[in-house]
Amino acid sequence: MPRKGHIKRFIILFGLFGIFITNSLFFIAQAADDIILITHVDTPVDKLNTADIKRLFEGKIRMWKNGDLVVLVQLKDDIIQESFLKKYIRKSPSQFQNYWKNKMFQGETHNFPRRFHNKTQLINFIKKTKGAIGYIPSETIPEGVKIIKVD
Amino acid sequence: MKKRIFEKLLLILLLIIFGQQEVLASETLINGFVSQGYIKTDNNNMYTNSENGSFEFSETGIRFSTQLPDRLRIGMQLFARDLGDLGNNEITIDWAFADYLFTNELGVRAGILKIPHGLYNEIRDTDMLRASIFLPMGLYNEAWRDTFVSLKGIGIYGDLLNHCSYKFQVGIPSVSPESGMAKSFSSFTNSKVTDTNPESYYTASIQLYDIVEGLKLGFAGGKFNFAMNFIINENSAISLPGTNTGHIDGDGYVWTTSAEYIYNNITFSTEYGRFVFDLPITIDLQDTDKLQLFRSVNMETYYVNLSYRMTEWFEAGIYYSVTYNDKDDKKGKEYIHKFLGKRYSAWAKDVCISARFDINSNWVLKMETHINDGTNSIFNADNMNDAGELNLNRRWTAYIVKVSYNF
């Protein structure tokens, strides 16, 4: 029969763990809410639903309606990437990477999502690349790109 | 010989294209992998001299891909493997094609195209993408890899209605005297294939995805024709006095149905496949007479697989695979009258337990064990004793280790 002291310690530890998990989930959820989708100004789309975003980032939509090829970009930020993937793609980062390696080695694609170290590089790439689409934290609203509204 | 000339010319052409400054400037992606494995079996030889332990198990692949202007993409993958006397590190073109995308619903490819067969045929050589080293061998027979991995031809593909992707291809399969398909025929009949004439291969596949989140369903099929000439060994069951040559016109089809469900870090997959070959054999007798024999393969195979990625660096998997050489002769009573082998050569049942360790983003270590009942998945030719008699055991276990580096 466990002693009362052990039970108390267990409850405290469990409570702390629960708070930690809740905060982490909250943090991820908050991070997802603070992400915006941006694209080249000539991309013929102003809004996307979550199913379209999933199809885009899984390479199932390869071309925009104006004939420009879809060029996917991401930030090399683990927290931002993880929250975006969980919210819209429903994959973990390793599952997402495996999914694209799968497509690559099948010869299905050249269009592996490009990754940039910071949002300035990412924004500059989107500005000069027709068909490019990516996501960044929403704290700064960039100029020279189109912001996609998510339904 | 024709196949080798076509592949060499295609390789030279693609290397010239990839070597152009404009192509290099348009960002050519280069990826690849190198792996080395070790196989040890307690009974029976599995592709290699595995009863004594064998390192004759290695693979190398390198892939080039570039996007050219106006929606044209070219790419190729070079591949070399050594698995016993299969491959022998000869560099082959795994796939190499030009791809033009008209719309999301329609694209065209031409060149050496990967054959869509089951869920994993198109990535069967890239084991960093799965938990196990060997895929279920009934559906993904390593011996027949070089025939079923690609064809030379043309195809269309696309995505329809947001949940469906398709591929249709037509071309010529790869069946050479050195191929696993030829070795299988030689193994069953105790003969030696001297030359081959692959004729045609039609394939089609449809996949439905995300109708339910994480669920993928697939159907793939193919029909093919090929011809082989062979020399019969003296002690073969089809040897007759005064004869030693023959001819076969192979005609067959394959089809698979597949389901894969991914939920968080758990992957469940199951597939069912059929391989049906008609093999009319003509043996040359004295004085221009000929003897006609008929053999057929009516193979049935299925498996269930479960894998779980427990951490970023560790994944475990288990599958149970069943193969019958003839779905109407599961106990092998007819098999021993038609083919060289034991009664238990008519089936292969395999429990595979795998462990995968991702050492870092480039290095992967895998270990697995296969607990086998039946010998349909291995070659008779690898299991003859010094007296030329077949030396097989019904129950046997394989232990396999493999290290891979991918870039």
Side-chain angles (χ1 to χ4, degrees), chain B residues 126-364:
Chain B
T126 323
D127 74 351
M128 63 177 173
L129 299 174
R130 60 179 184 265
S132 65
I133 296 172
F134 283 112
L135 287 164
M137 283 182 262
L139 210 68
Y140 303 101
N141 191 329
E142 280 300 320
W144 296 351
R145 179 204 168 275
D146 41 10
T147 298
F148 286 101
V149 76
S150 62
L151 58 82
K152 287 185 281 293
I154 190 165
I156 59 172
Y157 69 94
D159 282 274
L160 302 170
L161 303 172
N162 296 332
H163 293 289
C164 174
S165 63
Y166 73 90
K167 287 178 188 167
F168 297 111
Q169 297 171 339
V170 58
I172 300 171
S174 299
V175 184
S176 70
E178 298 78 29
S179 67
M181 183 73 80
K183 186 176 178 183
S184 285
F185 176 78
S186 300
S187 201
F188 289 140
T189 56
N190 202 353
S191 63
K192 179 178 166 50
V193 174
T194 53
D195 62 86
T196 59
N197 181 26
E199 293 171 359
S200 66
Y201 202 144
Y202 303 87
T203 77
S205 82
I206 291 176
Q207 284 192 352
L208 304 176
Y209 52 85
D210 288 343
I211 293 173
V212 170
E213 182 70 40
L215 178 65
K216 180 162 52 177
L217 303 173
F219 176 83
K223 188 171 188 329
F224 54 89
N225 303 86
F226 61 90
M228 294 191 210
N229 292 326
F230 56 87
I231 295 174
I232 305 165
N233 295 332
E234 278 185 12
N235 57 348
S236 170
I238 57 173
S239 172
L240 292 168
T243 72
N244 67 346
T245 61
H247 176 81
I248 180 169
D249 282 300
D251 180 4
Y253 64 87
V254 305
W255 60 263
T256 57
T257 58
S258 314
E260 179 190 81
Y261 181 64
I262 300 176
Y263 178 74
N264 289 340
N265 292 323
I266 298 173
T267 300
F268 171 80
S269 58
T270 181
E271 298 192 269
Y272 176 89
R274 295 287 308 283
F275 292 77
V276 181
F277 299 83
D278 285 335
L279 302 170
I281 303 171
T282 304
I283 297 174
D284 303 318
L285 301 176
Q286 288 174 325
D287 300 327
T288 72
D289 286 341
K290 296 193 187 297
L291 175 67
Q292 300 280 352
L293 298 175
F294 186 80
R295 293 289 181 269
S296 64
V297 172
N298 188 11
M299 184 181 288
E300 176 183 64
T301 182
Y302 50 88
Y303 75 87
V304 289
N305 168 76
L306 184 67
S307 66
Y308 178 42
R309 177 159 284 277
M310 297 179 190
T311 69
E312 281 294 312
W313 56 268
F314 178 66
E315 183 174 5
I318 182 167
Y319 69 69
Y320 176 59
S321 166
V322 176
T323 302
Y324 296 108
N325 188 73
D326 186 339
K327 74 172 190 62
D328 298 321
D329 180 35
K330 290 180 179 172
K331 294 192 186 305
K333 290 179 184 172
E334 297 301 317
Y335 182 92
I336 52 174
H337 300 300
K338 293 180 186 175
F339 300 106
L340 175 67
K342 306 286 187 183
R343 188 175 57 82
Y344 47 80
S345 300
W347 69 80
K349 298 173 187 174
D350 177 8
V351 174
C352 170
I353 303 167
S354 310
R356 168 186 169 144
F357 303 90
D358 287 76
I359 299 164
N360 57 33
S361 59
N362 299 111
W363 288 95
V364 175

Side-chain angles (χ1 to χ4, degrees), chain B residues 37-103:
Chain B
Y38 177 78
I39 304 176
K40 176 76 176 75
T41 49
D42 58 355
N43 292 308
N44 305 328
N45 284 318
M46 178 182 170
Y47 305 125
T48 64
N49 187 14
S50 57
E51 276 197 79
N52 294 326
S54 176
F55 283 100
E56 275 195 290
F57 179 30
S58 61
E59 292 162 343
T60 306
I62 184 162
R63 170 193 164 271
F64 305 86
S65 172
T66 193
Q67 184 74 50
L68 298 175
D70 201 26
R71 291 179 252 158
L72 180 64
R73 179 171 64 90
I74 58 171
M76 71 172 173
Q77 181 165 296
L78 304 177
F79 181 75
R81 75 164 177 172
D82 184 28
L83 182 62
D85 56 5
L86 296 173
N88 288 320
N89 289 316
E90 183 181 342
I91 298 173
T92 59
I93 301 177
D94 221 19
W95 52 262
F97 55 76
D99 179 325
Y100 186 80
L101 187 67
F102 290 101
T103 66

Side-chain angles (χ1 to χ4, degrees), chain B residues 4-17:
Chain B
R4 294 286 171 234
I5 293 172
F6 175 85
E7 287 188 344
K8 285 180 176 126
L9 286 173
L10 184 59
L11 179 58
I12 291 167
L13 177 65
L14 286 167
L15 286 173
I16 290 171
I17 291 173

